[in-house]
Amino acid sequence: MANNKVLTIDITNDSVTIIEVTASVKKGTNVHNAVIFETPEGSYEDGFIKDKDALAMAIKDQLATNGITNKNAIFVLTSTKIVNREVMIPQVKENKIKGIINANASEYFPVNIEDYVVSHSTLETVAAEKQMRVLVVAAPTVMVKSYYDLATMAGLKVQALDYIGNAMLQLIKTQTTTGSTTMVIQLGGESSILNIVKGDTLLLQRTVPYGTNAVVAEIMDERNVDAATAMTLLQNERLITVDFDDNAATGAFRYLMNNIGRVMDYYASKNPDKPIDDVYLTGDGALIRGIEGLFKIQLNISTKIMDSLYNVKFDPSINMQIYNPVYLIASIGAAFSPINFVMAQEKGAKVAKVSSGAASKILAMLLVVVIIIAIAGCVVTNLMKTNAERKKQDLETQIAQIQDIEQIISEYEATQAKLTDIQALYDATVTPNENMLTFIEELEKKMPSSITLSGLSCTPETITFEVNSKDYDTLVKFVSQAKTISCIENIFTSGVSKEEGTEDDANVSYTSQFTCNYTQNGASDADIAAAATTQAQ
């Protein structure tokens, strides 16, 4: 879309953002117009357009009021119902990727793929392995169609439908440096999107189901105000601190921070050689006063607000205090290289046109057949009517019984996918040090009562402990016993040292220090579960 002046439209539950932009990585990006207005009540919910008439009328009015005549539009889709996944495919030409993605789409997503429109974006070509990293995204067909309908009603021509994760990524790639690893967090109302990039390469993208709604709700209850006023107060007054326990508003960020922390732990386990250098915040929540301090303390990482953009120029007529760049990241990025969810409308139209002549002939033949059937039916009309009514009732009953099965299956499969992600995050946080309980229990069984434990320390990989005994032979035998503890290996001892007095002195004691590593396999899931149960008791 480079060098083409287009409208990008980003609709959320709270607001509609429209900008007119010419995007270019080489020549620079120019934002010509910007409009943000409240989403008409009841017209939009989680990516689905509920009232097309109201929303289309609002868009037309805002464009006319601001003197914007451009009709070429790119919509940014944001919804928890949109699913995405990174996949590896063989290295092929760009025009071959779509066929591979469509052929394997049902394996990528735990949904009925026939009800979705699938698109993709190439993230990286791994030449050494002759493979490609591809971001595959699937949006509900009903949702995609509603945007095409909305554009028609608003007098706009759809150039593309983009996914917010891709739109953000396209702009972020132009703002980062080659040598650093950066995490950009889009703080939305219902959810937050995390992009971790190194230079222009996406390393990880995740959506966490928490945003600013929880803290806004706290301020609404505390000050008895509406949502818009609550957000204004959060942006103008320092109502949050750096400690969750200081007040309810700060505490409302706890779940968001915990989820971001888990994603960071998962990323670190997969990319130990590429630690995150800094964090940038965007979205409505980025302008909450004190938010960067909270993130810096809780995540222990340098945090900044992405309120200025490199190589992006804004028309002098745009009030930058109102149209802060943090609101426009996705809107600007959508103009670079949108994923584009395409409805197969043109193909359907051609088929209908070709078939229209044949359909007329078939219709005439069907009319003759209907007349013959009607004449014959006069003889047995009462019987057929009774049977038809009975069958109709039976079918309606069956339909009523199973009409919600697809929704149940879809929800079940989506829950299974979330469970898989949660399990992957949990597995990434398991450390060998979870064998500590097993180690202590076996040490108690194998250590004679005449030997005392005088010191113990551990790291995630090793244990160091020291024991004392008044009997030299008992201590020597224990050295052999310690080596049989099941959860450790490569045990080393400093030898046995004698302390205090002489060999004939009753106060003499012997000391030995041990250093050992946890076994490579670590504890099994059953062992860890048993250990957790024992601790709870």
Side-chain angles (χ1 to χ4, degrees):
M1 304 301 299
N3 298 320
N4 292 328
K5 184 187 292 187
V6 295
L7 299 178
T8 64
I9 304 176
D10 183 8
I11 306 172
T12 70
N13 291 350
D14 302 315
S15 64
V16 179
T17 301
I18 304 176
I19 67 169
E20 186 176 31
V21 57
T22 302
S24 174
V25 175
K26 295 181 179 180
K27 297 181 180 180
T29 296
N30 292 291
V31 179
H32 310 287
N33 287 291
V35 180
I36 299 178
F37 59 94
E38 289 188 10
T39 304
E41 185 175 357
S43 65
Y44 177 93
E45 182 181 356
D46 191 23
F48 290 93
I49 299 172
K50 300 292 187 179
D51 188 339
K52 299 174 188 175
D53 290 329
L55 196 51
M57 183 61 68
I59 292 173
K60 289 176 68 175
D61 290 345
Q62 290 292 332
L63 292 176
T65 300
N66 289 274
I68 301 174
T69 59
N70 197 328
K71 301 300 181 182
N72 297 317
I74 298 173
F75 288 88
V76 181
L77 274 59
T78 306
S79 174
T80 59
K81 303 301 181 185
I82 297 176
V83 290
N84 68 85
R85 179 157 297 178
E86 287 184 26
V87 299
M88 298 294 290
I89 65 172
Q91 185 176 347
V92 296
K93 293 181 179 179
E94 187 66 29
N95 60 0
K96 302 292 184 181
I97 297 178
K98 185 176 181 180
I100 295 176
I101 297 301
N102 290 339
N104 296 280
S106 59
E107 299 178 8
Y108 299 151
F109 303 112
V111 296
N112 183 2
I113 204 64
E114 294 181 357
D115 296 332
Y116 284 74
V117 179
V118 179
S119 191
H120 71 276
S121 175
T122 303
L123 300 177
E124 182 183 12
T125 298
V126 186
E129 301 176 12
K130 294 184 178 181
Q131 288 189 312
M132 306 174 75
R133 283 178 63 224
V134 179
L135 177 66
V136 185
V137 186
T141 303
V142 174
M143 179 187 298
V144 172
K145 185 178 184 302
S146 69
Y147 280 86
Y148 279 95
D149 293 342
L150 174 67
T152 300
M153 296 172 68
L156 302 174
K157 181 179 179 181
V158 176
Q159 297 296 303
L161 299 184
D162 200 5
Y163 166 58
I164 186 171
N166 178 71
M168 286 183 59
L169 176 62
Q170 297 307 317
L171 182 61
I172 290 169
K173 290 192 301 185
T174 69
Q175 305 297 308
T176 55
T177 57
T178 304
S180 64
T181 300
T182 302
M183 178 166 69
V184 181
I185 303 175
Q186 169 98 353
L187 293 172
E190 296 182 339
S191 61
S192 299
I193 300 175
L194 284 60
N195 284 277
I196 302 177
V197 297
K198 186 175 181 65
D200 61 357
T201 301
L202 177 68
L203 302 179
L204 183 71
Q205 185 179 91
R206 287 290 186 274
T207 299
V208 296
Y210 297 97
T212 59
N213 282 355
V215 67
V216 169
E218 288 290 346
I219 300 302
M220 290 172 64
D221 292 340
E222 181 182 319
R223 301 291 183 93
N224 193 27
V225 295
D226 60 18
T229 304
M231 178 57 80
T232 301
L233 289 171
L234 283 164
Q235 293 177 346
N236 294 330
E237 301 180 21
R238 189 175 288 276
L239 302 181
I240 65 169
T241 67
V242 298
D243 193 325
F244 295 136
D245 296 328
D246 284 351
N247 55 54
T250 308
F253 277 108
R254 187 187 304 272
Y255 291 112
L256 172 62
M257 290 295 184
N258 289 344
N259 275 264
I260 293 175
R262 291 191 185 99
V263 173
M264 293 176 67
D265 290 342
Y266 175 76
Y267 166 81
S269 70
K270 300 296 183 182
N271 302 273
D273 58 329
K274 301 172 185 174
I276 298 173
D277 297 308
D278 44 32
V279 170
Y280 281 89
L281 304 179
T282 72
D284 293 352
L287 295 184
I288 293 176
R289 288 197 65 183
I291 189 72
E292 67 270 31
L294 175 64
F295 272 72
K296 180 179 180 180
I297 296 299
Q298 295 300 327
L299 300 181
N300 191 29
I301 192 168
S302 172
T303 303
K304 302 174 184 177
I305 308 301
M306 188 176 277
D307 54 3
S308 62
L309 300 175
Y310 167 74
N311 210 25
V312 177
K313 296 180 180 179
F314 291 83
D315 190 275
S317 64
I318 298 175
N319 187 339
M320 298 306 295
Q321 291 183 335
I322 298 176
Y323 302 105
N324 193 296
V326 298
Y327 299 129
L328 309 177
I329 303 297
S331 300
I332 297 173
F336 282 90
S337 181
I339 274 186
N340 198 15
F341 298 98
V342 179
M343 293 289 293
Q345 294 176 332
E346 294 182 0
K347 182 178 178 181
K350 290 179 181 180
V351 172
K353 184 176 181 180
V354 171
S355 302
S356 60
S360 299
K361 296 179 180 180
I362 295 173
L363 183 60
M365 295 175 63
L366 286 175
L367 182 60
V368 174
V369 174
V370 169
I371 293 173
I372 296 173
I373 293 175
I375 295 173
C378 291
V379 181
V380 290
T381 182
N382 290 332
L383 179 61
M384 291 181 64
K385 180 180 179 181
T386 301
N387 290 337
E389 289 178 348
R390 186 183 298 113
K391 289 181 180 180
K392 178 183 177 183
Q393 292 175 355
D394 291 342
L395 288 173
E396 288 176 344
T397 301
Q398 294 175 27
I399 292 171
Q401 290 174 344
I402 65 172
Q403 63 182 356
D404 59 347
I405 191 65
E406 283 196 8
Q407 180 181 352
I408 294 173
I409 293 174
S410 178
E411 291 176 354
Y412 167 77
E413 291 175 337
T415 302
Q416 286 291 100
K418 289 182 179 179
L419 178 60
T420 301
D421 288 343
I422 292 171
Q423 184 63 48
L425 288 173
Y426 169 76
D427 291 343
T429 62
V430 173
T431 67
N433 202 37
E434 292 175 348
N435 287 283
M436 174 59 76
L437 181 59
T438 302
F439 169 77
I440 292 175
E441 290 176 345
E442 290 199 34
L443 187 64
E444 289 177 346
K445 293 178 182 179
K446 298 178 184 296
M447 188 169 67
S449 59
S450 60
I451 295 179
T452 59
L453 182 69
S454 58
L456 186 146
S457 63
C458 64
T459 70
E461 306 293 337
T462 64
I463 303 176
T464 300
F465 63 98
E466 187 177 89
V467 296
N468 295 322
S469 174
K470 293 185 176 299
D471 181 67
Y472 178 84
D473 293 336
T474 301
L475 185 57
V476 171
K477 291 179 180 179
F478 173 67
V479 172
S480 299
Q481 285 295 314
K483 294 180 179 181
T484 65
I485 296 177
S486 62
C487 65
I488 62 174
E489 61 183 2
N490 299 330
I491 184 167
F492 305 97
T493 178
S494 61
V496 179
S497 61
K498 177 181 175 183
E499 299 180 0
E500 298 183 14
T502 66
E503 292 185 357
D504 297 329
D505 193 334
N507 292 325
V508 68
S509 65
Y510 300 91
T511 301
S512 183
Q513 188 178 70
F514 298 83
T515 300
C516 50
N517 299 323
Y518 287 112
T519 57
Q520 278 191 337
N521 293 332
S524 65
D525 291 342
D527 292 336
I528 295 172
T533 302
T534 303
Q535 287 179 329
Q537 293 172 347

